[in-house]
């Protein structure tokens, strides 16, 4: 009988797949990172407990093109500075990805708030433009010009906070208590340049980043970097406390209740 591809894989095949994933070479991305100060009460409003605002009310937009062989990827995120249990990090509100492959793994394994979208990173001489686009709206756009090289930072560790959960089958909340994930990224930079420019936030009902106004630009950079990441569950969190924030994950929170029309199966 021919191989049935939906059939179970052998333990050897599963092990080989894991080994292949563990030996991936460094994958480099080229991208813009824009950091700005916003209103402290806004940052506090978007953080689900037990996350707390960081000392400075910072927002960070990452907009990158990733050099995956034969599979170029656009990847972005908009996050606010936060801390948890003595750990400083970032809480991403939205993470547009141009391909489903990057979206599904991050959402299902780590709880990342990834959504399909368009990601643009362009450079023409010294002029740089980068944007995150969904539903035809460039809800974040960074524009400027490279004015000087920057010294390369030492390899560093950065932490992102995610909430991993499964909406309940009956629509009443969650199937099990959500968990808080600390995702540690090991980052190496091989090129870094300073950009003088501006950050434009456009109104979008689906990605309301415009609610995090730019009060002061801290820094805009263009760089080439590679990262790997490892996550761990640090604690279970209150379903009741997280439920008011579930809309952050979806364009329409009611879509989690969508199912096939009655009699269609």
């Amino acid at each position: 009988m021919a191989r049935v591809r939906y059939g179970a894989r052998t333990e050897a095949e599963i092990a080989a797949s894991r080994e292949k994933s563990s030996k991936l070479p460094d994958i480099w991305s080229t991208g813009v990172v824009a950091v700005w100060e916003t209103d402290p009460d806004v940052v506090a409003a978007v953080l689900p407990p037990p996350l707390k605002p960081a000392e400075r009310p910072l927002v960070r937009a990452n907009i990158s093109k990733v050099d995956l062989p034969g599979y170029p990827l656009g990847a972005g995120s908009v996050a606010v500075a936060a801390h948890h249990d003595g750990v400083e990090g970032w809480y991403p509100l939205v993470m547009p990805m141009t391909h489903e492959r990057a979206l599904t793994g991050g959402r299902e394994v780590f709880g990342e708030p990834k959504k399909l979208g368009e990601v643009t990173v362009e450079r023409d001489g010294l002029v740089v433009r980068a944007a995150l686009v969904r539903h035809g709206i460039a809800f974040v756009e960074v524009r400027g010009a490279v004015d000087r090289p920057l010294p390369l930072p030492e390899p560093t560790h950065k932490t992102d906070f995610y909430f991993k959960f499964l909406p309940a089958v009956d629509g009443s909340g969650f199937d099990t208590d959500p968990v808080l994930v600390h995702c540690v990224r090991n980052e190496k930079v091989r090129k870094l340049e300073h950009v003088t420019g501006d950050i434009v936030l456009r109104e979008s009902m689906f990605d309301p980043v415009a609610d995090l106004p730019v009060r002061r630009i801290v820094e805009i950079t263009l760089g080439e970097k590679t990262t790997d990441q490892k996550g761990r569950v640090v604690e279970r969190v209150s379903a009741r406390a997280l439920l008011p924030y579930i809309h952050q994950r979806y364009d329409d929170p009611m879509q989690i209740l969508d199912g096939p029309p009655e009699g269609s199966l």
Side-chain angles (χ1 to χ4, degrees), residues 8-38:
R9 293 186 174 181
T10 67
E11 291 185 5
E13 288 173 322
I14 294 172
S17 179
R18 288 174 177 167
E19 183 179 2
K20 182 179 179 181
S21 297
S22 67
K23 294 182 178 179
L24 288 175
D26 287 344
I27 297 173
W28 294 89
S29 66
T30 300
V32 169
V33 178
V35 180
W36 66 93
E37 284 189 354
T38 191

Side-chain angles (χ1 to χ4, degrees), residues 166-184:
L166 285 174
V169 173
D170 62 6
S172 62
F174 304 107
D175 276 334
T176 60
D177 285 339
V179 295
L180 174 60
V181 175
H182 284 196
C183 183
V184 178

Side-chain angles (χ1 to χ4, degrees), residues 96-136:
M97 301 284 139
T98 56
H99 296 309
E100 184 180 10
R101 180 179 178 181
L103 184 151
T104 53
R107 286 176 67 101
E108 295 180 11
V109 177
F110 294 98
E112 295 172 329
K114 290 185 173 180
K115 299 178 178 180
L116 286 174
E118 301 172 43
V119 179
T120 300
V121 180
E122 300 171 335
R123 178 172 183 171
D124 184 4
L126 298 178
V127 177
V128 176
R129 176 185 178 272
L132 301 176
V133 181
R134 297 188 69 251
H135 302 287

Side-chain angles (χ1 to χ4, degrees), residues 42-196:
V42 170
V43 173
V46 302
L47 289 174
L51 299 182
K52 302 291 185 182
E55 184 175 346
R56 295 179 67 189
L58 298 180
V59 187
R60 181 192 68 190
N62 284 324
I63 308 173
S64 300
K65 289 289 189 178
V66 186
D67 297 328
L68 292 176
Y71 199 79
L73 169 70
S77 72
V78 179
V80 297
H83 71 85
H84 171 255
D85 198 22
V87 178
E88 299 289 332
W90 297 88
Y91 174 62
L93 295 166
V94 60
M95 300 177 70
M97 301 284 139
T98 56
H99 296 309
E100 184 180 10
R101 180 179 178 181
L103 184 151
T104 53
R107 286 176 67 101
E108 295 180 11
V109 177
F110 294 98
E112 295 172 329
K114 290 185 173 180
K115 299 178 178 180
L116 286 174
E118 301 172 43
V119 179
T120 300
V121 180
E122 300 171 335
R123 178 172 183 171
D124 184 4
L126 298 178
V127 177
V128 176
R129 176 185 178 272
L132 301 176
V133 181
R134 297 188 69 251
H135 302 287
I137 300 171
F139 62 94
V140 177
E141 183 176 2
V142 181
R143 306 175 299 200
V146 172
D147 56 18
R148 64 183 186 273
L150 293 172
L152 297 183
E154 292 294 323
T156 186
H157 307 294
K158 297 181 178 179
T159 301
D160 280 351
F161 305 119
Y162 304 124
F163 291 94
K164 184 175 180 180
F165 57 81
L166 285 174
V169 173
D170 62 6
S172 62
F174 304 107
D175 276 334
T176 60
D177 285 339
V179 295
L180 174 60
V181 175
H182 284 196
C183 183
V184 178
R185 302 177 187 277
N186 301 305
E187 181 178 288
K188 294 186 294 185
V189 178
R190 68 182 182 186
K191 185 177 182 180
L192 193 64
E193 297 172 293
H194 184 268
V195 176
T196 296

